[in-house]
Amino acid sequence: MTGKEKAALESQTKEIKPKIGAFLAVMSGKGGVGKSSVTALLAAGLQRKGFKVGILDADITGPSIPRIMGVSGRITLENGKMVPPLSAGGIRVISANLLLDREDYALVWRGPMISNAIRQFWENTFWGKLDYLLLDLPPGTSDAPLTIMQMLPDTDVLIVTSPQVLASMIVRKAINMARRVGARVMGVVENMGTAVCPRCGETFELFRGEGTESILRDLGLPLLGKIPYDQRISDLCDIGAIETYESEAVETMVASILAVSGHES
Amino acid sequence: MTGKEKAALESQTKEIKPKIGAFLAVMSGKGGVGKSSVTALLAAGLQRKGFKVGILDADITGPSIPRIMGVSGRITLENGKMVPPLSAGGIRVISANLLLDREDYALVWRGPMISNAIRQFWENTFWGKLDYLLLDLPPGTSDAPLTIMQMLPDTDVLIVTSPQVLASMIVRKAINMARRVGARVMGVVENMGTAVCPRCGETFELFRGEGTESILRDLGLPLLGKIPYDQRISDLCDIGAIETYESEAVETMVASILAVSGHES
């Protein structure tokens, strides 16, 4: 960043921040464990409780949020600011895919471009008043999470993992990164640990292992929810209606996160 | 890259390339669909057929290969070159995690550092004679795949997807990227489309959808394999023994890839 860019970022941050109650970055390090699903389910759950919620999709080269939430409206400009389109449930969404003509167009961008895009989403979006801004981070510990954590040093980080030991090894990297740069890791949501067989109706372990427990124990973090694999979530993602999904597991997760983030539910 | 770096890269490439029969980049764009598992299963399958195989793990911030293949030996130096440790089955593996004291240590690196690491793995590794060098790419369409495709413009790209439409939307980005930079996309392997319930033994659709078919049809690509979800793969990954997994599905995939890559099996 040049000095001028830094000054612009700081002035914008000073202007926007007071209007946003809390920042929550959803991170995993590992791909495919369900960061975007958990982000969308959490956003919808918070919205149902009366909070105003926005999502900044910081996964620039693999953005899933618009598709799973059915947001297809383009970003419009008003007084030079980007206005986030709304999901069916009223959640404000900013994502690289809302700037593309085709959702399968690839942004072949090196790291500095990724960081610039995220900074512009932050600087140039008219979020209005929000109780929660959720930031959906891509896999890895490179440009996107680093930019977010440097830009918003007081963001809370919510970790998503599966119980597989392999996944948890990569997830530990993400937690170690967040702690090294001074972000607060709130806790862990386990996704896809169990599944219900659509044939016999019995519950079984899907991505089994001691991964989640070892993270909680070794890194001293609370478990904030367990979302079982459910074919309905996968199907609702495909038709852009994940917001309509409700379950006891989701409600429990939302309540735990509200409790830890210090908000009454 | 400076002119000097570019010259070093070119001279190294000229020296190593003739010793390596074929390059095969395993890519998805989407995280968590099983790129690393497919890479390892393919490597083991090729090795069983008598080919000499190496894996360059290009997922610098989320490297899974050493863990799932049980490679824990450190990279050693010989005449200034890195010597890849061997898996139990004799596959040569280079990965960022083999340079770390702890496998859960996070490399918090911006894009240019990621590219440098990949170039150094290529330039400074003593691979010896190989029939196949597999390159396991991270999710996204940013630094790592771009560096690989610019460094090895004649690499073949193997795409891994799940049938979920959401996954296939991101996977299409990867295919579009590969084609835009001139790489040859060989075909598609579908992972985790079906699963067998450990309770009742019945097969059911896990990540269901029309994603794979739509990719094959719209982008004119052949299907090179279908690997069902199997708890045993997940368990073998966790104990570092994925190489010992054999199945009809894996053998069929290996044979199809050999046929397409022009090698007799």
Side-chain angles (χ1 to χ4, degrees):
Chain A
M1 260 191 291
T2 64
K4 204 176 151 190
E5 282 168 350
K6 211 172 167 185
L9 179 64
E10 276 167 11
S11 106
Q12 167 74 354
T13 299
K14 215 185 255 174
E15 188 194 321
I16 303 176
K17 259 191 147 176
K19 297 186 190 139
I20 297 180
F23 299 89
L24 192 46
V26 183
M27 188 181 190
S28 169
K30 182 88 181 73
V33 294
K35 275 173 306 294
S36 300
S37 304
V38 166
T39 303
L41 291 171
L42 175 59
L46 291 169
Q47 191 90 352
R48 278 197 297 277
K49 291 205 179 289
F51 294 108
K52 278 203 172 131
V53 185
I55 299 178
L56 191 163
D57 184 356
D59 193 346
I60 304 297
T61 66
S64 300
I65 291 288
R67 154 68 69 160
I68 68 179
M69 300 187 74
V71 179
S72 56
R74 295 286 283 277
I75 294 170
T76 53
L77 280 180
E78 217 166 275
N79 302 323
K81 294 271 180 196
M82 294 188 279
V83 179
L86 299 180
S87 71
I91 293 163
R92 296 166 213 185
V93 174
I94 283 284
S95 168
N97 252 19
L98 299 173
L99 293 166
L100 303 178
D101 284 328
R102 292 176 49 129
E103 65 172 2
D104 62 357
Y105 183 82
L107 294 173
V108 185
W109 284 355
R110 291 199 175 270
M113 294 278 285
I114 304 277
S115 296
N116 267 337
I118 293 173
R119 274 201 299 270
Q120 292 203 3
F121 280 164
W122 170 241
E123 276 182 52
N124 294 326
T125 300
F126 177 74
W127 288 108
K129 221 179 133 30
L130 289 181
D131 297 300
Y132 283 92
L133 181 62
L134 309 186
L135 305 120
D136 187 23
L137 297 185
T141 54
S142 186
D143 297 278
L146 193 51
T147 299
I148 293 278
M149 288 176 199
Q150 287 176 342
M151 200 167 75
L152 297 169
D154 47 1
T155 185
D156 284 324
V157 176
L158 179 69
I159 297 290
V160 182
T161 191
S162 84
Q164 224 197 335
V165 175
L166 168 65
S168 72
M169 184 264 289
I170 308 284
V171 170
R172 279 162 180 262
K173 289 180 186 273
I175 299 171
N176 288 337
M177 169 194 183
R179 288 183 166 172
R180 248 156 68 202
V181 302
R184 185 174 81 109
V185 181
M186 305 172 75
V188 176
V189 170
E190 181 188 277
N191 195 30
M192 298 193 288
T194 57
V196 174
C197 171
R199 301 280 181 201
C200 67
E202 294 264 350
T203 298
F204 66 94
E205 291 175 307
L206 186 61
F207 292 104
R208 65 181 166 192
E210 307 294 314
T212 314
E213 287 140 61
S214 76
I215 287 178
L216 301 178
R217 188 185 56 231
D218 297 349
L219 300 174
L221 289 169
L223 182 67
L224 298 175
K226 275 192 176 199
I227 312 288
Y229 171 81
D230 184 341
Q231 243 176 6
R232 269 188 59 227
I233 296 183
S234 170
D235 292 349
L236 288 170
C237 280
D238 276 359
I239 62 167
I242 190 171
E243 271 177 294
T244 63
Y245 182 84
E246 295 187 45
S247 75
E248 219 183 289
V250 170
E251 296 316 306
T252 305
M253 171 185 78
V254 173
S256 306
I257 290 169
L258 281 171
V260 172
S261 72
H263 284 70
E264 297 297 318
S265 105
Chain B
M1 262 192 290
T2 65
K4 204 176 151 190
E5 282 167 352
K6 209 171 167 185
L9 179 64
E10 277 166 11
S11 106
Q12 167 74 353
T13 298
K14 215 185 252 172
E15 188 194 324
I16 304 177
K17 260 192 146 175
K19 296 185 190 142
I20 298 180
F23 298 89
L24 192 45
V26 183
M27 188 182 190
S28 168
K30 183 85 182 75
V33 295
K35 275 174 306 294
S36 299
S37 304
V38 167
T39 303
L41 291 170
L42 175 59
L46 291 169
Q47 192 91 350
R48 277 196 298 276
K49 292 204 180 287
F51 294 108
K52 279 205 171 127
V53 184
I55 299 178
L56 191 163
D57 184 355
D59 193 346
I60 304 297
T61 67
S64 300
I65 290 289
R67 154 70 68 158
I68 69 179
M69 299 187 76
V71 179
S72 56
R74 296 286 283 277
I75 294 170
T76 52
L77 280 180
E78 217 166 275
N79 301 322
K81 294 271 181 197
M82 294 188 278
V83 180
L86 299 180
S87 70
I91 294 162
R92 298 165 211 188
V93 173
I94 282 284
S95 169
N97 252 20
L98 299 173
L99 294 165
L100 303 178
D101 284 328
R102 291 177 49 129
E103 66 172 0
D104 61 357
Y105 183 83
L107 293 173
V108 184
W109 284 355
R110 292 199 174 270
M113 294 277 286
I114 305 278
S115 296
N116 266 337
I118 292 173
R119 274 201 300 270
Q120 291 203 4
F121 280 164
W122 171 241
E123 276 181 50
N124 294 325
T125 300
F126 177 74
W127 288 108
K129 220 178 132 34
L130 288 181
D131 296 301
Y132 281 93
L133 180 62
L134 308 185
L135 305 119
D136 187 22
L137 297 185
T141 53
S142 187
D143 297 276
L146 193 51
T147 300
I148 293 278
M149 288 175 198
Q150 288 177 342
M151 200 168 75
L152 297 169
D154 46 3
T155 184
D156 283 324
V157 176
L158 178 69
I159 297 290
V160 182
T161 191
S162 85
Q164 223 196 336
V165 174
L166 168 66
S168 72
M169 183 263 290
I170 308 285
V171 170
R172 280 164 180 261
K173 288 180 187 273
I175 299 170
N176 289 337
M177 171 194 181
R179 288 185 166 172
R180 247 155 69 201
V181 302
R184 186 174 80 109
V185 181
M186 304 172 78
V188 176
V189 170
E190 180 187 278
N191 195 30
M192 299 193 287
T194 56
V196 174
C197 171
R199 301 282 181 199
C200 67
E202 294 264 351
T203 297
F204 66 95
E205 291 176 308
L206 185 61
F207 292 104
R208 65 182 166 190
E210 306 295 313
T212 313
E213 286 140 62
S214 75
I215 287 177
L216 301 178
R217 188 186 56 230
D218 298 349
L219 300 174
L221 289 169
L223 182 68
L224 299 175
K226 276 194 176 198
I227 312 289
Y229 172 81
D230 183 342
Q231 244 175 4
R232 270 188 57 228
I233 296 183
S234 171
D235 292 348
L236 288 170
C237 281
D238 275 359
I239 62 167
I242 190 170
E243 272 177 293
T244 62
Y245 182 86
E246 295 187 43
S247 75
E248 219 184 287
V250 171
E251 297 316 306
T252 306
M253 171 185 78
V254 174
S256 306
I257 290 169
L258 281 171
V260 172
S261 72
H263 284 71
E264 297 298 318
S265 105

